[in-house]
């Protein structure tokens, strides 16, 4: 049996018009080929769909049922085509994004998440908060389509673009003498009790900031190792030491702590948008990437 969608459309036109001439005009074809296609359809089904006389055309009981089924089939095909088109255009589907804990504090990132959700409400955004190093394997394997991470060494299989280049700021308890300064040096911070990330967590900021200090032959005296940036902020505010974080965290303001600029011009950090070069990105990921980079450049 070789029934094509056009056969269903031909039959529906005849069944609704109950007149081969009007149906042919509606389909923009001539009447003889239309009659031949309907006959071929009936032969393939082994059933009469239309009762024909010289004066009239009517549906048989089988034709009435086949009309209902044909309408449903074409409706499902149209719906499937519409869903495929929306998915291709990035208006539906799923978007898998990994990000470090600092990413949501960046205005371009938070604004893009908000605007993308408003513009494409039917796209399910699946987010995974994880460290920079822990995003690399899922990106390579296609489990994540995009990653937001701090600048780090990447394999050649991943591409990246800069979302933000921002200064690093010192975090100093409010009652500490350095809190009254307009700016502090890395050497001054290295001499203080230092609150920082656990080195085993794989956060990009660990390598970023300690690598910067090593460039100045400095090694901070780390007295507290924690897992989250917010914990670092809380412990500094509690007076347990000083620390360094990117300026985007300055959105967290606590009365017991001051954010102080760092003198060294190299005290900067970058947030990268990262993707796999070898896994095809869906349109939703491409749209999100475009929106984020436009927001970052603006």
């Amino acid at each position: 049996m070789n029934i094509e969608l056009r056969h269903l459309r031909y039959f529906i036109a005849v069944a609704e018009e109950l007149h081969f001439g009007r149906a042919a005009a509606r389909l923009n074809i001539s009447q003889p080929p239309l009659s031949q296609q309907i006959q071929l359809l009936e032969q393939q089904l082994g059933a009469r769909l239309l009762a024909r006389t010289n004066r009239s055309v009517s549906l048989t009981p089988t034709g009435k049922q086949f009309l209902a089924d044909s309408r449903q089939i074409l409706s499902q095909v149209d719906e499937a085509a519409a869903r495929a088109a929306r998915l291709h255009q990035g208006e539906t589907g799923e978007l898998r994004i990994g990000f470090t804990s600092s990413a949501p504090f960046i205005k371009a990132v938070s604004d893009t998440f908000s605007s993308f959700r408003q513009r494409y409400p039917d796209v399910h955004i699946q987010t995974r908060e994880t460290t920079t190093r822990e995003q690399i394997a899922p990106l390579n394997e296609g489990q994540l389509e995009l990653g937001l991470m701090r600048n780090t060494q990447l394999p050649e299989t991943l591409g990246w673009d800069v979302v933000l280049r921002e200064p690093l700021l010192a975090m100093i308890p409010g009652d500490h003498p350095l809190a009254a300064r307009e700016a502090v040096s890395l050497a001054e911070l290295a001499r203080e009790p230092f609150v920082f990330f656990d080195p085993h967590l794989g956060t990009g900021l660990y390598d970023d900031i300690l690598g910067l200090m090593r460039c100045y032959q400095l090694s901070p005296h780390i007295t507290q190792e924690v897992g989250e940036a917010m914990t670092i902020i809380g412990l500094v505010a509690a007076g347990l030491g000083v620390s360094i974080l990117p300026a985007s965290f300055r959105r967290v303001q606590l009365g017991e702590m001051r954010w102080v600029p760092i003198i060294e011009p190299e005290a900067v950090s970058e947030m990268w948008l990262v993707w796999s070069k070898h896994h095809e990105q869906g349109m939703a990921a491409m749209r999100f990437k475009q929106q984020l980079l436009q927001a970052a450049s603006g």
Side-chain angles (χ1 to χ4, degrees):
M1 190 175 295
N2 185 25
I3 299 175
E4 301 177 17
L5 293 179
R6 64 189 178 96
H7 295 141
L8 302 185
R9 293 189 176 96
Y10 291 169
F11 170 70
I12 291 173
V14 175
E16 290 178 347
E17 297 292 341
L18 293 177
H19 190 280
F20 277 89
R22 291 194 298 270
R26 169 173 155 182
L27 295 166
N28 199 28
I29 61 176
S30 60
Q31 183 172 335
L34 176 59
S35 299
Q36 292 171 5
Q37 292 298 324
I38 296 300
Q39 289 173 4
L40 179 61
L41 176 61
E42 289 178 320
Q43 289 172 10
Q44 292 192 23
L45 292 174
R48 287 179 66 222
L49 301 175
L50 298 166
R52 306 168 181 84
T53 69
N54 291 332
R55 295 184 177 181
S56 67
V57 176
S58 61
L59 287 167
T60 65
T62 302
K64 292 178 181 179
Q65 181 60 56
F66 193 71
L67 174 61
D69 292 339
S70 296
R71 285 169 170 163
Q72 183 176 4
I73 290 169
L74 290 184
S75 176
Q76 290 174 340
V77 169
D78 290 342
E79 290 172 1
R83 285 195 296 270
R86 294 191 69 208
L87 182 61
H88 177 71
Q89 293 299 323
E91 297 174 0
T92 62
E94 186 174 77
L95 173 57
R96 303 180 304 279
I97 302 179
F99 62 89
T100 65
S101 60
S102 59
F105 289 93
I106 296 173
K107 189 175 187 301
V109 173
S110 58
D111 286 352
T112 300
F113 271 110
S114 177
S115 63
F116 188 88
R117 166 59 61 207
Q118 292 176 11
R119 187 174 298 180
Y120 306 108
D122 293 330
V123 175
H124 173 61
I125 303 177
Q126 182 181 348
T127 57
R128 184 189 303 181
E129 182 181 346
T130 183
T131 66
T132 289
R133 281 184 237 159
E134 289 174 341
Q135 292 185 53
I136 293 175
L139 283 166
N140 267 326
E141 295 164 5
Q143 298 173 14
L144 292 175
E145 292 179 274
L146 298 172
L148 286 160
M149 62 180 71
R150 290 288 166 179
N151 46 304
T152 190
Q153 186 173 359
L154 294 176
E156 294 183 356
T157 53
L158 299 180
W160 58 275
D161 210 334
V162 177
V163 173
L164 178 70
R165 192 172 190 266
E166 60 179 337
L168 294 169
L169 297 179
M171 303 156 54
I172 302 172
D175 58 358
H176 193 285
L178 290 178
R181 298 274 297 278
E182 292 298 321
V184 296
S185 68
L186 292 173
E188 290 173 307
L189 296 171
R191 290 193 291 267
E192 299 293 328
F194 208 82
V195 183
F196 210 47
F197 295 101
D198 186 326
H200 301 102
L201 293 177
T203 174
L205 284 173
Y206 183 90
D207 296 332
D208 205 8
I209 294 172
L210 292 193
L212 171 66
M213 288 193 157
R214 282 194 294 270
C215 290
Y216 288 89
Q217 289 78 49
L218 299 173
S219 179
H221 177 48
I222 299 176
T223 57
Q224 303 285 334
E225 293 181 344
V226 300
E228 300 289 342
M230 294 303 296
T231 307
I232 293 176
I233 294 173
L235 292 180
V236 171
L240 295 185
V242 302
S243 192
I244 298 173
L245 283 177
S248 50
F249 280 104
R250 188 166 46 187
R251 295 171 73 174
V252 180
Q253 293 287 345
L254 298 177
E256 300 86 356
M257 183 196 78
R258 276 204 66 211
W259 297 94
V260 180
I262 295 173
I263 293 172
E264 286 79 3
E266 296 84 4
V268 295
S269 179
E270 292 180 346
M271 176 65 70
W272 291 355
L273 180 64
V274 182
W275 60 89
S276 171
K277 296 178 182 178
H278 304 299
H279 289 276
E280 184 177 355
Q281 285 186 337
M283 184 59 71
M286 295 173 65
R287 288 185 183 277
F288 186 92
K289 175 181 172 182
Q290 181 183 34
Q291 281 189 224
L292 177 55
L293 294 179
Q294 285 178 346
S297 63

